[in-house]
Amino acid sequence: MRRFVLAALPVLVASVLWAADAPAAQSSPQQLHAQVAAGEQPPVELDSEPIVKLSPDAAPVAWTMTSSCSQWASVIRQGANYWGGSRLVERAGGVPVRCQTSYITNCGVARAVGCNYGGSAIALMPNGTRSPGVLAAHEFGHFWYGHSSGCASWNNVMGTPMCN
């Protein structure tokens, strides 16, 4: 019996560790779209450093702008266009992009001006920076890339802080 228990122990430990690492229940894309359309911030659990999610050569990511972004539409499109037409396509039903005039508080830091919620939604605070186009480009860039060092600018879109 002792030999059986010792032989089964690694399997048992691996099973418990797998269950502990299993992802929590996720909101469906429809739920996230409804939350964003209603102006709510989707629940999020983010690592401190975003990871590369998609290959830069992957199929284009579809995105759609909510009405909350209408006054910043041209600069948000400028940010999307930074990545070229082969990476981002604006169309109905795509990843919703919403805008707000207050800090984003559920993005892993107390006060953020932008957040890419793991590719399910993007929130922007365009009035929180002098360069809302760079902010949009930065958040769209998180589909593929994590942060780089330095300030975000057109020369370093993925820079960590929005310094200008």
Side-chain angles (χ1 to χ4, degrees), residues 52-61 87 143-145:
V52 175
K53 295 187 58 77
L54 302 172
S55 162
D57 300 321
V61 175
R87 287 189 168 182
F143 285 119
W144 307 282
Y145 305 108

Side-chain angles (χ1 to χ4, degrees), residues 47-54 56 82-83 87 116 137-150 152 156-161:
D47 293 331
S48 59
E49 182 63 26
I51 59 171
V52 175
K53 295 187 58 77
L54 302 172
Y82 174 86
W83 299 105
R87 287 189 168 182
N116 182 322
H138 177 93
E139 295 308 331
F140 282 119
H142 279 308
F143 285 119
W144 307 282
Y145 305 108
H147 287 127
S148 58
S149 60
N156 180 13
V157 166
M158 297 313 295
T160 308

Side-chain angles (χ1 to χ4, degrees), residues 24-79:
Q26 300 273 333
S27 297
S28 72
Q30 293 81 10
Q31 289 170 319
L32 289 170
H33 283 260
Q35 284 178 296
V36 170
E40 297 175 25
Q41 293 184 14
V44 65
E45 291 180 21
L46 295 177
D47 293 331
S48 59
E49 182 63 26
I51 59 171
V52 175
K53 295 187 58 77
L54 302 172
S55 162
D57 300 321
V61 175
W63 66 281
T64 187
M65 196 176 325
T66 65
S67 60
S68 63
C69 295
S70 60
Q71 75 184 78
W72 296 287
S74 64
V75 295
I76 291 169
R77 288 186 180 104
Q78 178 187 20

Side-chain angles (χ1 to χ4, degrees), residues 113-134:
V113 293
C115 189
N116 182 322
Y117 293 99
S120 60
I122 291 176
L124 302 171
M125 181 186 163
N127 63 314
T129 177
R130 289 188 195 142
S131 187
V134 170

